[in-house]
Amino acid sequence: MKKNVLVFGAISGLIIAATGGISGALCYNNPNFQGNMWVGYGSMLLAFSLIFVAIKNYRDKYNEGTISFGKAFSIGLYIVLITSTVYVLIWLIELYAFFPDFMTRYVAHVLKDAKAHGATDAELKQQAASMAGYINMYKSPLGVIVLTYMEILPVGLVIALIAALILKRKNARPQLAAN
């Protein structure tokens, strides 16, 4: 199982690293952050689709066509952890090397967008106060790590859960009921 997880986790990590770099650059250089969100979550779905392949590969090639839900979910979970860690590392590199003022730009965008949609001054102050927490978290690498894991980890866990439910198989060859 270890080799299977490492191979598919590495491929998934490479996908997220390549697309993460593109997504980060698009997001930072485009004042409209929304369109770039599709690229980011699309790349997560693409990378995490390998969970299905990894579970099926392990079930069919190494486990005689059977796999429990728990084993399937653990394969998916390990791949999610590998991929998410690569995602976090890539974002840390991008943030500190290329986009040091990312959170300031993002908060300005959120407030500008709220104002454009008719937010009152009181609502804008409330929005700015809530965003101040994110700015404070982004002042420390640990805060950045926590927030970045919160972006990708839930997506991966849902996909791992779905893949485990779909691909679990108790018997390699189900027996036909006797008449």
Side-chain angles (χ1 to χ4, degrees):
M1 181 176 103
K2 184 193 275 186
K3 179 183 177 188
N4 199 47
V5 165
L6 290 174
V7 166
F8 287 100
I11 295 168
S12 182
L14 286 172
I15 291 170
I16 207 73
T19 57
I22 294 166
S23 177
L26 286 174
C27 190
Y28 186 75
N29 293 315
N30 186 346
N32 179 7
F33 286 78
Q34 297 295 28
N36 301 312
M37 192 170 25
W38 290 104
V39 174
Y41 284 107
S43 65
M44 288 179 199
L45 292 175
L46 176 65
F48 288 138
S49 69
L50 288 177
I51 292 171
F52 286 90
V53 178
I55 293 171
K56 186 171 182 337
N57 182 60
Y58 180 79
R59 181 189 73 190
D60 295 347
K61 289 187 178 178
Y62 301 106
N63 216 36
E64 299 174 1
T66 65
I67 193 165
S68 67
F69 169 80
K71 185 65 125 179
F73 184 72
S74 68
I75 290 170
L77 176 63
Y78 290 132
I79 292 171
V80 167
L81 292 174
I82 291 168
T83 306
S84 297
T85 300
V86 170
Y87 181 80
V88 169
L89 291 173
I90 292 299
W91 178 241
L92 286 170
I93 291 167
E94 286 181 347
L95 178 67
Y96 289 113
F98 305 108
F99 316 134
D101 63 340
F102 173 81
M103 189 50 78
T104 305
R105 284 179 141 196
Y106 181 70
V107 169
H109 161 72
V110 168
L111 294 176
K112 181 181 172 188
D113 192 48
K115 188 173 184 175
H117 285 89
T120 64
D121 287 341
E123 291 169 335
L124 288 173
K125 279 186 178 181
Q126 183 180 10
Q127 183 79 23
S130 74
M131 296 298 289
Y134 293 114
I135 291 172
N136 285 334
M137 286 187 78
Y138 255 65
K139 289 181 181 175
S140 114
L142 182 60
V144 175
I145 290 168
V146 168
L147 285 173
T148 308
Y149 269 116
M150 286 173 47
E151 282 178 29
I152 190 167
L153 209 53
V155 175
L157 292 175
V158 168
I159 292 173
L161 180 66
I162 292 169
L165 285 169
I166 290 172
L167 295 171
K168 68 180 171 130
R169 186 185 296 163
K170 294 285 182 192
N171 298 322
R173 294 188 181 120
Q175 296 179 358
L176 297 174
N179 290 342

